[in-house]
Amino acid sequence: MKQNIDSNIKTIVSALNALREQKPLVVNMSNYVGMNNTANALLALGASPIMAHSRDEMAEMLSFSGALVVNIGTLDSTWIKRMLFAVEQANIHKKPVVLDPVGCGASSLRTATSRQIAAAANKLIIRGNASEIIALAGEKAQSKGVDSLDSSAAALGAARYLRDTYQCAVVISGATDFIVTSDGQTQLDNGHEMMPYVTAMGCTLSALTGAFAAVGEETGLAAAAVLGVAGEIAAEQSKGPGSLQLNLLDALYQLDEATLIQRLKIS
Amino acid sequence: MKQNIDSNIKTIVSALNALREQKPLVVNMSNYVGMNNTANALLALGASPIMAHSRDEMAEMLSFSGALVVNIGTLDSTWIKRMLFAVEQANIHKKPVVLDPVGCGASSLRTATSRQIAAAANKLIIRGNASEIIALAGEKAQSKGVDSLDSSAAALGAARYLRDTYQCAVVISGATDFIVTSDGQTQLDNGHEMMPYVTAMGCTLSALTGAFAAVGEETGLAAAAVLGVAGEIAAEQSKGPGSLQLNLLDALYQLDEATLIQRLKIS
Amino acid sequence: MKQNIDSNIKTIVSALNALREQKPLVVNMSNYVGMNNTANALLALGASPIMAHSRDEMAEMLSFSGALVVNIGTLDSTWIKRMLFAVEQANIHKKPVVLDPVGCGASSLRTATSRQIAAAANKLIIRGNASEIIALAGEKAQSKGVDSLDSSAAALGAARYLRDTYQCAVVISGATDFIVTSDGQTQLDNGHEMMPYVTAMGCTLSALTGAFAAVGEETGLAAAAVLGVAGEIAAEQSKGPGSLQLNLLDALYQLDEATLIQRLKIS
């Protein structure tokens, strides 16, 4: 147990160092609401965001980028086709794909699209809140809108089902985060209760997951750890979600190995 | 007079409490510029934003949401069709519609589209600045771009015309806000002169108007009161519009009944 | 030399005063990531942003606005057509066009589109980072994604080539900014190394360039000077890119003539 935790901490720290050294390019097909937040979070941590969606450049973009993040937050028929095309290109170039199934369960369009993308990607990480993960797996979720009404633990069965079905890693984010992989599951208890009051926090986690995947950490663990710790530091200095949003970017920028290790609540 | 004011204050406070208790889902078809701000303001106050625009999910989204906010800030022919479809769905599900006629008067497309949406919605609240309200009513406005060049009071006649024509409530926002309903008009003198230097402040008011409409306050009064007071608190702590933007979210998050009542300038 | 510098400082200060007096309307066809930042920066400095992209209103918008900013950050086939239409309208109304060739060189779509727009505009200013300017000129750039890997000085030859080819002013932004015009070149050494960690900083410079062009300063010099100085002031007060983003808006809002003159590093 202790050994596993130590190995996880080592993975996280190495991944952060690799990210800052390599400054990986991450292609984001994200939603209109959170694009700014995700680009800023990637920059603040040390990665390099590309926001692109046109089919006419996606093949090129994925040939030299490290990962693709597909976020369905403001999907429509045009973007869905482009997302599937982008996933094809990611497969051709053997790049990892992070799927953020925003609002999965809130409409059948979102559920169906999330499943299409999950089925299409060869190297896949799914990052969602409990309601989204449960809905994606086809269980009856309490989803209402894009916020989760279920606790992370309630989605563990669904996450395992998704892992087995799509041969992927699954991150359930919430008050507690779970990373479910073929090696088992890891639990993270960082973060702060004020974080859900800032929009696009989940999108940010998905984007960071893409950045870490681009440097070889393809489970979402390092991203959840880093965002949890940075969010916690930021929230402690914040009077509300406005301050939190900016303090988070500062905390991602400043985050060092020692602070990360000291604050990690991993099990 | 005093009685009316007391009744208005009671309405505002009850609406705020109801909003925080019910955490209503608000569907936003907003513009690319302000989506992030409006989502964050809804979250900070205690509501739950859904940003959606695809026709393939709008019926579902409006079946379980509390209100629809239609903001034409970055309209085009595709979005206009979707907005009208969304209004139809809101009508079917008897949900209130908030129209934000951004830049009405600045182009004939914006004026015509605003009128189409106003005519289509069954339960309607219109929220605009003076120039937009005047242009929407067909009077000769001094509109230039999306900022208002007219004072709120200059738009009162236009607001009454719109109220009678569309059987709706009308909010004229500006240095002074007016809420014009079939019961007459209410004046609010909260807010701060720095607020127009932050983009999407009007969009934010429209989004909050939708959240309050979702819990039964269908005039825009509570939203204007809450944003005016929170904006005023935020501006007092701000060196400029950057700080104001984040302090506003903090102030919406922290706003309590006592502060609200104490600061309200209502007549 | 000294005379040139004095004349440049005079130009910058007069342009800032003119901008705040005239509050010019600037039409922005920008990308989804940075629209909010650019609108806020324009407002904070004292200009008036219009974000529009529909062909059905572009002719009207450009008839009464002062400048057009075209930013290809999240381009696709629909937006490219609209951008070219908007440039035509700007030409008809004799309005200056600022081209921001985001990611030029990162895909052939971006390179080709940037050249089409540059060739189409009659009164043109190009604002890009070194990699984008080099790629636009057709030299072999080290472009990787949307961030520059080349130093500003390395792009001077390319900038001169673009100036001669398109009869335009060219701004190379980076740690050092160069403004290349038919009168020669000006160098600015303001700014701060933390600025590239905030997304849409280049987009912001392009937007401000449009605002200054709308009041007659059609080289990009005043915009680069103002953003450099404001960014420097903001960074000195910031713990990271989150704070920087908001402090920048405050600094643009507060920037006065004396501070601007005192801080300018021009040669």
Side-chain angles (χ1 to χ4, degrees):
Chain A
M1 191 66 180
K2 178 72 171 58
Q3 224 166 10
N4 272 347
I5 293 176
D6 286 350
S7 142
N8 278 328
I9 293 176
K10 209 179 143 187
T11 300
I12 294 165
V13 168
S14 307
L16 179 59
N17 291 334
L19 187 151
R20 285 188 172 148
E21 230 177 84
Q22 298 175 37
K23 299 185 166 295
L25 281 168
V26 184
V27 176
N28 294 269
M29 296 193 71
S30 192
N31 65 67
Y32 300 128
V33 185
M35 278 192 204
N36 191 273
N37 304 82
T38 53
N40 270 325
L42 287 166
L43 284 170
L45 192 60
S48 187
I50 296 185
M51 269 50 194
H53 57 109
S54 170
R55 291 171 68 130
D56 299 329
E57 62 175 356
M58 197 48 78
E60 265 172 286
M61 289 295 191
L62 282 165
S63 70
F64 59 77
S65 296
L68 170 68
V69 180
V70 176
N71 176 308
I72 66 162
T74 50
L75 84 179
D76 67 12
S77 54
T78 306
W79 278 68
I80 292 169
K81 274 180 222 136
R82 290 172 178 177
M83 287 169 174
L84 291 166
F85 179 78
V87 171
E88 273 177 43
Q89 296 306 314
N91 288 343
I92 289 169
H93 296 287
K94 302 193 192 321
K95 302 295 163 68
V97 173
V98 178
L99 166 63
D100 187 332
V102 182
C104 188
S107 76
S108 46
L109 180 70
R110 288 174 191 246
T111 309
T113 302
S114 301
R115 287 179 189 158
Q116 264 189 291
I117 294 168
N122 287 348
K123 295 178 76 171
L124 176 68
I125 308 169
I126 298 171
R127 200 293 314 162
N129 64 37
S131 298
E132 289 158 353
I133 295 299
I134 291 171
L136 185 53
E139 296 179 25
K140 207 174 150 41
Q142 297 182 42
S143 178
K144 194 193 71 161
V146 296
D147 299 318
S148 185
L149 296 178
D150 298 286
S151 79
S152 296
L156 275 170
R160 281 184 215 113
Y161 170 84
L162 293 173
R163 174 198 61 192
D164 297 341
T165 305
Y166 300 114
Q167 304 291 312
C168 65
V170 180
V171 179
I172 313 165
S173 60
T176 297
D177 298 330
F178 290 101
I179 288 83
V180 177
T181 68
S182 54
D183 295 338
Q185 80 191 40
T186 308
Q187 178 176 338
L188 286 164
D189 283 286
N190 292 101
H192 191 279
E193 58 179 14
M194 208 196 275
M195 290 173 78
Y197 289 90
V198 178
T199 197
M201 202 53 92
C203 309
T204 298
L205 179 50
S206 298
L208 298 187
T209 299
F212 282 111
V215 297
E217 201 290 272
E218 301 188 353
T219 70
L221 173 65
V226 159
L227 188 65
V229 169
E232 190 173 293
I233 293 170
E236 288 167 10
Q237 304 163 354
S238 299
K239 293 177 305 175
S243 317
L244 174 50
Q245 189 177 6
L246 86 98
N247 287 330
L248 174 65
L249 295 173
D250 288 359
L252 287 171
Y253 179 77
Q254 296 174 331
L255 190 63
D256 58 46
E257 202 175 309
T259 310
L260 181 59
I261 292 172
Q262 184 203 319
R263 286 207 175 233
L264 266 177
K265 293 178 196 146
I266 196 166
S267 55
Chain B
M1 191 64 180
K2 176 72 170 60
Q3 223 166 12
N4 272 348
I5 292 175
D6 285 351
S7 143
N8 277 329
I9 294 176
K10 210 179 142 188
T11 300
I12 294 165
V13 169
S14 308
L16 180 58
N17 291 334
L19 187 151
R20 285 187 173 149
E21 230 177 84
Q22 299 175 38
K23 299 186 168 296
L25 281 169
V26 184
V27 176
N28 293 269
M29 296 194 70
S30 194
N31 65 67
Y32 300 127
V33 185
M35 279 193 203
N36 190 273
N37 304 83
T38 53
N40 270 326
L42 287 166
L43 284 170
L45 192 60
S48 187
I50 298 185
M51 269 51 193
H53 58 108
S54 170
R55 289 173 68 130
D56 299 329
E57 62 174 357
M58 197 47 77
E60 264 172 287
M61 289 295 190
L62 281 166
S63 70
F64 59 76
S65 295
L68 170 68
V69 180
V70 177
N71 176 310
I72 66 162
T74 50
L75 83 179
D76 66 12
S77 53
T78 306
W79 278 68
I80 293 169
K81 275 180 220 134
R82 290 172 177 177
M83 286 171 175
L84 290 167
F85 180 78
V87 170
E88 272 178 41
Q89 297 306 313
N91 287 344
I92 288 170
H93 296 287
K94 301 194 194 318
K95 302 294 164 68
V97 173
V98 178
L99 167 62
D100 187 332
V102 183
C104 187
S107 76
S108 45
L109 179 70
R110 289 175 190 245
T111 309
T113 302
S114 300
R115 288 180 190 157
Q116 264 188 292
I117 294 167
N122 287 348
K123 295 177 76 172
L124 178 68
I125 308 170
I126 298 171
R127 201 292 314 160
N129 63 37
S131 299
E132 289 159 353
I133 295 299
I134 290 172
L136 185 53
E139 296 178 25
K140 206 173 152 42
Q142 297 181 42
S143 177
K144 193 193 73 163
V146 297
D147 299 317
S148 185
L149 296 178
D150 297 285
S151 80
S152 297
L156 274 169
R160 282 184 213 113
Y161 170 83
L162 293 173
R163 174 198 62 191
D164 297 341
T165 304
Y166 299 114
Q167 304 290 312
C168 65
V170 179
V171 179
I172 313 164
S173 61
T176 297
D177 298 331
F178 290 101
I179 288 85
V180 177
T181 69
S182 55
D183 294 337
Q185 80 192 41
T186 308
Q187 178 175 338
L188 286 165
D189 283 287
N190 292 101
H192 191 280
E193 59 179 15
M194 207 197 276
M195 290 172 77
Y197 289 90
V198 179
T199 197
M201 201 54 91
C203 309
T204 298
L205 179 50
S206 298
L208 298 186
T209 299
F212 282 111
V215 297
E217 202 290 274
E218 301 188 353
T219 70
L221 174 64
V226 159
L227 188 65
V229 168
E232 192 173 293
I233 294 169
E236 289 167 9
Q237 305 163 353
S238 299
K239 293 177 306 174
S243 318
L244 174 50
Q245 190 176 6
L246 86 97
N247 286 330
L248 175 65
L249 295 172
D250 288 359
L252 287 171
Y253 179 77
Q254 295 175 331
L255 189 64
D256 59 46
E257 203 176 308
T259 310
L260 181 59
I261 292 171
Q262 185 203 317
R263 286 208 175 233
L264 266 177
K265 293 179 197 146
I266 196 166
S267 54
Chain C
M1 191 65 179
K2 177 72 172 61
Q3 223 166 10
N4 272 348
I5 293 175
D6 285 350
S7 141
N8 277 329
I9 293 176
K10 210 179 144 187
T11 300
I12 294 165
V13 168
S14 308
L16 180 58
N17 291 333
L19 187 151
R20 285 188 172 148
E21 231 176 84
Q22 299 175 38
K23 297 185 168 296
L25 281 169
V26 184
V27 176
N28 293 269
M29 295 195 71
S30 193
N31 65 67
Y32 300 129
V33 185
M35 278 192 205
N36 191 274
N37 304 82
T38 54
N40 270 326
L42 287 167
L43 284 170
L45 191 60
S48 186
I50 297 185
M51 268 51 193
H53 57 108
S54 170
R55 289 172 69 130
D56 299 329
E57 62 175 358
M58 198 48 79
E60 264 173 285
M61 289 294 190
L62 282 166
S63 71
F64 59 77
S65 296
L68 170 67
V69 180
V70 177
N71 176 309
I72 68 163
T74 50
L75 83 179
D76 67 11
S77 54
T78 306
W79 278 69
I80 292 169
K81 276 180 220 135
R82 290 172 177 177
M83 286 170 175
L84 290 167
F85 180 78
V87 171
E88 273 177 42
Q89 296 305 314
N91 287 343
I92 288 170
H93 297 287
K94 301 192 193 322
K95 302 294 164 69
V97 174
V98 178
L99 166 62
D100 187 332
V102 183
C104 186
S107 77
S108 47
L109 179 70
R110 288 175 190 243
T111 308
T113 302
S114 301
R115 288 180 189 158
Q116 264 188 293
I117 294 168
N122 288 347
K123 295 178 75 172
L124 176 68
I125 308 169
I126 298 171
R127 200 294 312 161
N129 63 37
S131 299
E132 289 158 353
I133 295 299
I134 291 171
L136 185 53
E139 296 177 27
K140 208 173 150 41
Q142 297 182 41
S143 178
K144 192 194 74 161
V146 297
D147 299 318
S148 185
L149 295 179
D150 297 286
S151 79
S152 297
L156 274 169
R160 279 183 217 116
Y161 170 83
L162 293 173
R163 174 197 62 190
D164 297 341
T165 305
Y166 300 115
Q167 303 292 312
C168 66
V170 180
V171 179
I172 313 164
S173 60
T176 297
D177 299 329
F178 290 101
I179 288 84
V180 177
T181 69
S182 54
D183 294 337
Q185 80 192 41
T186 309
Q187 178 174 340
L188 286 164
D189 282 287
N190 292 100
H192 191 279
E193 58 181 14
M194 207 196 276
M195 291 173 77
Y197 289 89
V198 178
T199 196
M201 201 54 92
C203 309
T204 297
L205 179 50
S206 298
L208 298 186
T209 299
F212 281 110
V215 297
E217 202 290 274
E218 302 187 353
T219 70
L221 173 64
V226 159
L227 188 65
V229 169
E232 192 173 292
I233 295 170
E236 288 167 10
Q237 305 164 354
S238 298
K239 294 177 305 175
S243 317
L244 174 50
Q245 191 177 6
L246 85 98
N247 286 331
L248 174 66
L249 295 173
D250 289 359
L252 287 171
Y253 179 77
Q254 295 175 332
L255 188 64
D256 58 47
E257 202 175 309
T259 310
L260 181 58
I261 291 171
Q262 185 204 318
R263 285 205 176 236
L264 266 176
K265 292 178 197 147
I266 195 165
S267 54

